[in-house]
Amino acid sequence: MGLSLVRLGAFLMLCGFISSPAFAATLYQTFVIQEAPYTRLCNNTKNILTVNGSYPGPTLYAHGGDTIFVTVINNGNKNITLHWHGIDQPRDPWSDGPEYITQCPIQVGANYTQRVQITEEEGTVWWHAHSDFDRTTVHGAIVIYPKLNTTYPFAKPDGEFILILGEWWNQDVTQVYETAVLTGGDPQISDANTINSQPGDFAPCSANDTFKVQVEQGKRYLLRVINSAMSNEFFFAVAGHNMTVVGSDGSYTKPYINEYIMITPGQTFDLLIEANQFTNSSAAYRYYIIATPFFDGSVAPSRDANVTVAILEYKTNGTMPATVPISISLPEFDNTTAAAAFIDGLRSLASSDHPVNVPQTIDEHMFITVSVNEVECPNNATCSGIFGTRFGASLNNASFQNPVALVDILDAYYSSIAGVYTPDFPDQPPVFFNFTGDIPFNQSFTSKSTKVKVLEYNTTVEIVFQGTNMLTGENHPMHLHGQSFYVVGRGFGNYDNTTDPLNYNLVDPPLENTVGVPKNGWAAVRFRAANPGVWFMHCHYDRHTLWGMDTVFITKNGKSKNAQIMRPPSNRPPC
Ligand SMILES: *[C@@H]1O[C@H](CO)[C@@H](O)[C@H](O)[C@H]1NC(C)=O
Ligand SMILES: *[C@@H]1O[C@H](CO)[C@@H](O)[C@H](O)[C@H]1NC(C)=O
Ligand SMILES: *[C@@H]1O[C@H](CO)[C@@H](O)[C@H](O)[C@H]1NC(C)=O
Ligand SMILES: *[C@@H]1O[C@H](CO)[C@@H](O)[C@H](O)[C@H]1NC(C)=O
Ligand SMILES: *[C@@H]1O[C@H](CO)[C@@H](O)[C@H](O)[C@H]1NC(C)=O
Ligand SMILES: *[C@@H]1O[C@H](CO)[C@@H](O)[C@H](O)[C@H]1NC(C)=O
Ligand SMILES: *[C@@H]1O[C@H](CO)[C@@H](O)[C@H](O)[C@H]1NC(C)=O
Ligand SMILES: *[C@@H]1O[C@H](CO)[C@@H](O)[C@H](O)[C@H]1NC(C)=O
Ligand SMILES: *[C@@H]1O[C@H](CO)[C@@H](O)[C@H](O)[C@H]1NC(C)=O
Ligand SMILES: *[C@@H]1O[C@H](CO)[C@@H](O)[C@H](O)[C@H]1NC(C)=O
Ligand SMILES: *[C@@H]1O[C@H](CO)[C@@H](O)[C@H](O)[C@H]1NC(C)=O
Ligand SMILES: CC(=O)N[C@H]1CO[C@H](CO)[C@@H](O)[C@@H]1O
Ligand SMILES: [Cu+2]
């Protein structure tokens, strides 16, 4: 999109004077939400919701420091919101996107221009719908190159590929969502796992559709891997090639060599591979890029366990026969040890160009239990959750409910509208017990509320997430909007506040926006609340978001002008 003077003028009027460093660019993009026909899995053609007709949607490219104005035009068949996952959006919660948290949906026929402000993020993050289950097909990558006149902290790769892991439903996902809301049951599982929307060679009838990348012997490639799946975590590998992790969640890491990675929904990894395996024989010129689900929950809500593949193919001088690509076996789907072994090796780069700033002293200590629960079945309703109840989920036994009044939380906060939320999200669970022990079924009930946590500007916060064994212990990818956090510790069992902090990494912990809280274990994160605004925090399994495994942080304004929320844009979607 070219820069339009007319639109620039309109923005100056809307937003006031925009000051940006001379080297940072202002970019413009138009995202048209529209239905488009897609064929996946044995000629099942149906309309899906897309951006600009493509699935995955368009990639946003920028450099550190740039600002992108994205005009979202909703020509689709339903109301929708978009979120820029992993972008801090300093002082601008208005553009963040989660429905009923920072805005009401963009209605059919309407449009909304969101400001995507890239500050310290570099590497790969992504954008996705943040309403109902629209994210299934409405998502894409955000590629952030080093700030102008700076370089990668590794040799510049010869090429790069975006690989987005996802899930495909033969059924209309809006139907899947509405059925889950109506019955309180587990949403129907997906029909295929996908890489760049393709299930790959092992899926019935889809051999022609497998996503393929071409590489040249002797060159080096950057793989930008995003997990956009609705409920599946994945082990991921490129057969025959080790991968060096160099970045995660839009932040550089110490180079970390592995045969496989484990990636939760919401996370991204930047991986380098050396294309050095070509032997000029037809037996060794094609390799599978492969992902298999990781699920270590004890009571499996049934899960789409299918493998998905793409193909990495070496360029050759002649025509090669289409041999079966070389594969690799990934850890078993429930191998907790294999998942932890990968995660525990991640470290921030922590160089002079990319320093870490881990809070060493903490103002607000929070201990948050993460649970799957039940809620009572309303009179006369048919509920298909466990034992005829509805599924619920909670943080500190508070099961989050979006505001019922037609107002979003940001608006209620900014305009002081009472009765929309309560500022009493607790700093600890109502009772302490053996969180990872056997918990009787009748102790798993919870209730709905809209509790938020209010933070003074510039406070340092530590959250210890404690996974519980209510109904089923499983890994939960907890995601925070508005800022990333340092993951200073992770472990299994009940967190011990005397011994576990002794093993924290306060030197070079990874900076992430999504952390996997291990099954029947805990994860400790730290951040400084220096971004005034209203920031959603939730499990990135969409069914858990729906069930209430969520809360909101409101960071109050600081004293100086640049520590205060920006003024709302005038074209905010009405409720
Ligand atoms: C970037 O480098 C170019 C060429 O060396 C120079 O002209 C330009 O001023 C530099 N820009 C910044 C923002 O440092
Ligand atoms: C979109 O939102 C408006 C306002 O809340 C509502 O009246 C309308 O029914 C919604 N449209 C759809 C297709 O859900
Ligand atoms: C956005 O909506 C406004 C109000 O309906 C309209 O005037 C404007 O032309 C629309 N912009 C685009 C890019 O569709
Ligand atoms: C898919 O549809 C095409 C065109 O209708 C048909 O020729 C082909 O046999 C179908 N393939 C399968 C696997 O059903
Ligand atoms: C697969 O692709 C080949 C070559 O393009 C084509 O001849 C064949 O019909 C395709 N098969 C299916 C099932 O689409
Ligand atoms: C991958 O790394 C392992 C461990 O460092 C090493 O043993 C193996 O040879 C490497 N494989 C390739 C293909 O480089
Ligand atoms: C292709 O042929 C050129 C020239 O003979 C040779 O230098 C190159 O190594 C060959 N490439 C491959 C992949 O075989
Ligand atoms: C789990 O993975 C680890 C590390 O890859 C491996 O050593 C172990 O044998 C695996 N366990 C099982 C039960 O497969
Ligand atoms: C439940 O159904 C009965 C019989 O249809 C009806 O009398 C009663 O009012 C209903 N209760 C509620 C809470 O809807
Ligand atoms: C908690 O329960 C687990 C599983 O029954 C058990 O292994 C563990 O010892 C218990 N921990 C405590 C502190 O009682
Ligand atoms: C934030 O707090 C730190 C101490 O934790 C202090 O050094 C810094 O000046 C404060 N920043 C602002 C903007 O108040
Ligand atoms: C796309 C794909 O591979 N689907 C398979 C998923 O797993 C089920 C059960 O094993 C199979 O029936 C599907 O064909
Ligand atoms: Cu969860």
Side-chain angles (χ1 to χ4, degrees), residues 341-365:
F342 168 71
I343 297 161
D344 292 346
L346 284 168
R347 299 282 181 273
S348 272
L349 181 57
S351 66
S352 54
D353 287 342
H354 300 280
V356 295
N357 195 1
V358 191
Q360 302 288 326
T361 57
I362 296 298
D363 303 318
E364 289 266 3
H365 283 273

Side-chain angles (χ1 to χ4, degrees), residues 398-413:
S399 185
F400 190 86
Q401 175 165 293
N402 283 343
V404 278
L406 280 180
V407 55
D408 57 82
I409 289 183
L410 174 57
D411 214 14
Y413 167 63

Side-chain angles (χ1 to χ4, degrees), residues 41 191-193 199 202-204 304-307:
L41 294 182
D191 295 288
N193 294 310
F202 299 121
D304 177 354
N306 293 300
V307 59

Side-chain angles (χ1 to χ4, degrees), residues 27-48:
L27 310 165
Y28 298 88
Q29 264 287 350
T30 302
F31 273 17
V32 181
I33 307 288
Q34 61 191 87
E35 286 188 282
Y38 268 81
T39 303
R40 291 291 179 275
L41 294 182
C42 308
N43 286 357
N44 177 330
T45 300
K46 61 165 187 168
N47 277 343
I48 61 168

Side-chain angles (χ1 to χ4, degrees), residues 170-187:
N170 287 333
Q171 205 188 330
D172 177 357
V173 285
T174 301
Q175 276 297 307
V176 173
Y177 174 81
E178 283 172 358
T179 303
V181 170
L182 189 69
T183 65
D186 218 4

Side-chain angles (χ1 to χ4, degrees), residues 32 117 136 181 255 309 500 540 555:
V32 181
Q117 283 181 82
T136 313
V181 170
V309 292
D500 286 326
H540 220 277
T555 301

Side-chain angles (χ1 to χ4, degrees), residues 362 364-370 395-397 425-436 453 461-468 493-497 500-501 504 517 521-525 537 553:
I362 296 298
E364 289 266 3
H365 283 273
M366 302 181 75
F367 180 79
I368 300 182
T369 53
V370 181
L395 299 176
N396 276 347
N397 201 36
F425 181 82
D427 287 344
Q428 55 178 53
V431 285
F432 280 77
F433 54 98
N434 185 349
F435 298 114
T436 62
K453 171 76 183 175
V461 183
E462 176 178 292
I463 304 174
V464 176
F465 294 105
Q466 172 70 59
T468 80
N494 292 291
Y495 173 77
D496 182 323
N497 65 5
D500 286 326
Y504 281 176
V517 179
W522 56 271
V525 305
M537 186 178 77
F553 283 95

